[in-house]
Amino acid sequence: MRILVLLTLFLTGAMMSAQFKSVPISTLEGDESEQGILIDVRTEEEYNQGHLCDALNVDFKAEDFEAKIQELDKSTAVYLYCKTGVRSKDAATLLQELGFENIINLEGGYTAYIEESGKPCSGT
């Protein structure tokens, strides 16, 4: 019984430490994302209509999303955003399952960023 309790505590702690963080996109500062990788998980069409500067476009709905993400260093901070925060949250969950260590979901997405007077980069 004692082993079962210890195992449960260990697994609970391991799951808690692997959780990703979610922060409002309005709190993102340039120097934070420079310490990691900023990823726009929207479609290429959405990305080309405007995006955050220095963001890589890796379409969460694309068949090769997982393969492209697996090319990244799992110990580097990964900042994820989409249009409103739904796809980026789903992407964060997947990255967590793939073993990424420092995942930050940017809540509110590109829409909230623009509404907060964020300055987009346009084009590719």
Side-chain angles (χ1 to χ4, degrees):
M1 181 68 172
R2 182 177 175 174
I3 293 173
L4 182 60
V5 171
L6 291 174
L7 182 59
T8 302
L9 289 173
F10 172 76
L11 291 175
T12 303
M15 290 186 333
M16 292 180 113
S17 65
Q19 291 180 343
F20 60 86
K21 292 184 254 181
S22 287
V23 298
I25 197 166
S26 60
T27 64
L28 179 69
E29 296 181 15
D31 57 343
E32 288 177 346
S33 62
E34 289 174 9
Q35 297 173 10
I37 302 167
L38 180 61
I39 300 177
D40 183 328
V41 299
R42 299 176 299 156
T43 65
E44 183 178 2
E45 182 180 352
E46 290 173 295
Y47 178 84
N48 288 336
Q49 291 173 358
H51 56 273
L52 277 64
C53 294
D54 299 322
L56 299 175
N57 181 222
V58 185
D59 181 356
F60 180 64
K61 294 182 179 180
E63 290 181 16
D64 62 350
F65 176 81
E66 190 171 328
K68 287 183 177 181
I69 288 296
Q70 290 280 32
E71 295 173 4
L72 303 175
D73 180 354
K74 292 183 179 182
S75 64
T76 300
V78 178
Y79 295 81
L80 301 169
Y81 75 95
C82 61
K83 182 176 180 181
T84 61
V86 176
R87 280 176 282 179
S88 59
K89 185 176 180 183
D90 292 342
T93 299
L94 177 60
L95 267 68
Q96 177 182 325
E97 292 170 4
L98 294 173
F100 283 78
E101 300 169 10
N102 191 0
I103 309 158
I104 301 93
N105 174 45
L106 299 172
E107 296 174 341
Y110 188 72
T111 300
Y113 179 77
I114 294 302
E115 287 174 358
E116 294 287 328
S117 301
K119 298 190 181 352
C121 287
S122 56
T124 55

